[in-house]
Amino acid sequence: MKELYMINTGINDEGVEILANSLKHNTTLKKLNLNGNDGITEKDVFLKLLVDVSSIGNTYTSNHTLTECSLIEYETTNSEIQSLIKDACKMNRMNSNPGRAKVIKYQLNSQNRKKLCLLQGIEYSPGSIFLDIEPTLLPRVLALIGDRRGQSELYNALIPTAPDLLSYIDRKAMLKDVLVKNAARATSLAEEFTNNLAELERKMAALKTEYSYQTSRLTAHNVEVNNRLELIDLGDKKQSLGGKGMRNEYEEEETSSSKKQRIS
């Protein structure tokens, strides 16, 4: 059955309570209409059915199937509970994970939680939100409060519960966990250093090879240049010696010619 209409049936608070209890684990009924039943005065039972703020766990496992639940035919300024019921039904209808959405809206917001606690007759305590949470989940819950509701809401949640939170936390285990994380980080850094060093050594070897190749080429080029310089010097010497020989022959011819002229 997906829809149930009990309009003007004369159902009273006792019947409503029985009906609400039967719907706690309902996964089929989506629409419920109880308009016209003036004997219903305890409308908060349906609000608690949809959003039980007695604990985070109860909020998360509240009824997430109902998408319409009408108790008042004409809404008035005094129909705050009906308005909250409509909001909860809308969350069931619009969210893929209504339980998580309700926890964020009604448990992690201190003002909303306080309002629903008063309407459902639950004693409100700022720190009661942490009482049924596993200690290992506390960091995630606190992070979620800070992320979704801001630092001021996180501060308000922490102030009254700081002593209890410290008692929940195994500080020795936390310190050991820090040591394990530091050791893992050190190992990671060592591996990174080894890899970087190997890469640097590879680059150094490549640079040395390139350096040897370039210096060898320069040395060979210098040898070639020096050989050319030697050839140039040798050519200059030969030219110098050749010039002196020609001058000596000319001078000897001149001397011989002069002697012949004097004799004649």
Side-chain angles (χ1 to χ4, degrees):
M1 182 170 60
K2 294 185 178 181
E3 299 181 9
L4 178 61
Y5 296 89
M6 299 181 65
I7 303 171
N8 298 318
T9 58
I11 189 173
N12 56 19
D13 289 337
E14 183 180 357
V16 163
E17 187 172 357
I18 294 172
L19 177 60
N21 289 332
S22 68
L23 293 176
K24 283 185 177 179
H25 305 291
N26 164 68
T27 57
T28 57
L29 188 67
K30 293 183 177 296
K31 295 183 180 180
L32 175 63
N33 192 318
L34 296 173
N35 290 342
N37 293 293
D38 296 333
I40 301 176
T41 60
E42 297 180 359
K43 301 177 178 63
D44 57 290
V45 294
F46 282 100
L47 178 59
K48 190 171 183 178
L49 170 69
L50 291 162
V51 188
D52 185 351
V53 293
S54 59
S55 69
I56 286 182
N58 288 338
T59 301
Y60 192 80
T61 57
S62 296
N63 181 293
H64 306 317
T65 305
L66 279 175
T67 56
E68 291 184 21
C69 181
S70 179
L71 304 177
I72 303 174
E73 188 172 1
Y74 303 104
E75 291 190 18
T76 65
T77 56
N78 296 321
S79 59
E80 181 180 18
I81 292 180
Q82 177 65 57
S83 178
L84 290 169
I85 288 174
K86 286 185 65 176
D87 287 343
C89 287
K90 183 177 180 181
M91 296 185 76
N92 286 349
R93 187 169 61 251
M94 302 297 293
N95 290 276
S96 59
N97 189 342
R100 184 175 186 274
K102 290 177 183 178
V103 168
I104 292 173
K105 182 173 182 178
Y106 298 112
Q107 287 287 359
L108 304 189
N109 185 305
S110 59
Q111 296 300 318
N112 288 343
R113 188 160 62 89
K114 183 177 182 180
K115 178 193 294 184
L116 265 69
C117 281
L118 293 175
L119 291 173
Q120 296 178 20
I122 300 170
E123 183 180 356
Y124 171 76
S125 171
S128 62
I129 185 176
F130 299 106
L131 296 179
D132 64 336
I133 297 177
E134 289 292 331
T136 55
L137 296 178
L138 281 175
R140 294 183 182 181
V141 174
L142 293 174
L144 192 60
I145 292 175
D147 180 55
R148 295 303 181 92
R149 297 302 175 188
Q151 297 301 313
S152 60
E153 189 70 35
L154 176 60
Y155 178 78
N156 290 334
L158 284 173
I159 288 299
T161 58
D164 293 331
L165 288 174
L166 289 176
S167 66
Y168 291 152
I169 297 172
D170 187 342
R171 284 173 285 182
K172 187 175 181 180
M174 287 182 62
L175 292 174
K176 287 182 178 180
D177 185 56
V178 170
L179 290 176
V180 170
K181 289 180 179 179
N182 287 344
R185 178 58 179 160
T187 300
S188 176
L189 288 173
E191 292 177 355
E192 184 179 353
F193 173 78
T194 301
N195 293 335
N196 290 339
L197 184 60
E199 180 65 16
L200 287 174
E201 289 176 347
R202 186 188 65 78
K203 290 181 179 180
M204 286 293 295
L207 288 173
K208 287 181 179 179
T209 301
E210 180 66 17
Y211 171 77
S212 297
Y213 172 71
Q214 293 294 342
T215 53
S216 296
R217 288 188 60 190
L218 289 173
T219 300
H221 190 239
N222 288 340
V223 170
E224 182 182 351
V225 171
N226 286 326
N227 290 337
R228 289 181 179 180
L229 287 173
E230 289 178 358
L231 289 174
I232 291 172
D233 290 341
L234 183 61
D236 290 344
K237 288 179 180 179
K238 287 182 177 180
Q239 288 181 0
S240 177
L241 291 173
K244 288 182 179 180
M246 290 178 65
R247 283 196 299 274
N248 290 337
E249 291 178 359
Y250 177 76
E251 289 175 354
E252 288 178 355
E253 289 179 357
E254 286 291 321
T255 302
S256 175
S257 176
S258 298
K259 285 183 178 180
K260 289 179 179 180
Q261 289 178 357
R262 284 197 299 271
I263 294 171
S264 60

